[in-house]
Amino acid sequence: MGGEGWTGLYRSFPITVMTNVPYGMIMMTTNEWLRAVLEDGIYGFHEHHHGDEKPFHFVTILLSGMGAGTVASAITAPLDRVKTRLQTQRMGMMIPSVVEGGVGGGAGGGGGGA
């Protein structure tokens, strides 16, 4: 928070929310849809199963979660890229000063003459 204060800390908050909310919505709906498709296709009992409890099938849950995560990440990747840029844009300005005046003197800094 050194030079930017609270503004710098929360600079990317709106884009973070705009990335995470759609990601969560896409992830949850895709996960439920894929799980239903897999249960119906592989086990043949999604629609025909009566009762409140659904059987637990680890492979179905694993595959639907992986598929949903892939779809959600692919759709929200551009927003995530913008978020990362906003979070690191000040770091790009700070790195050259650290390299020039840091340990070893940097390029042409005269850090080790005898």
Side-chain angles (χ1 to χ4, degrees):
M1 275 185 32
E4 296 182 59
W6 289 100
T7 304
L9 187 62
Y10 286 101
R11 178 186 310 121
S12 65
F13 183 72
I15 193 72
T16 300
V17 171
M18 288 172 39
T19 301
N20 290 344
V21 169
Y23 178 87
M25 291 169 46
I26 294 166
M27 173 80 170
M28 291 300 296
T29 55
T30 306
N31 184 39
E32 290 300 314
W33 179 78
L34 279 174
R35 191 169 55 90
V37 166
L38 288 172
E39 285 177 352
D40 200 27
I42 294 173
Y43 305 110
F45 60 77
H46 178 71
E47 296 296 328
H48 309 295
H49 184 69
H50 299 291
D52 290 336
E53 62 181 76
K54 290 184 176 182
F56 177 82
H57 294 285
F58 182 73
V59 174
T60 301
I61 293 169
L62 183 69
L63 290 174
S64 64
M66 287 181 354
T70 301
V71 169
S73 294
I75 292 173
T76 59
L79 290 173
D80 194 45
R81 174 81 174 167
V82 170
K83 178 186 72 157
T84 304
R85 278 284 187 151
L86 285 173
Q87 289 172 335
T88 59
Q89 78 186 75
R90 280 291 203 182
M91 289 177 65
M93 292 181 208
M94 294 171 62
I95 290 173
S97 63
V98 170
V99 171
E100 289 174 11
V103 178

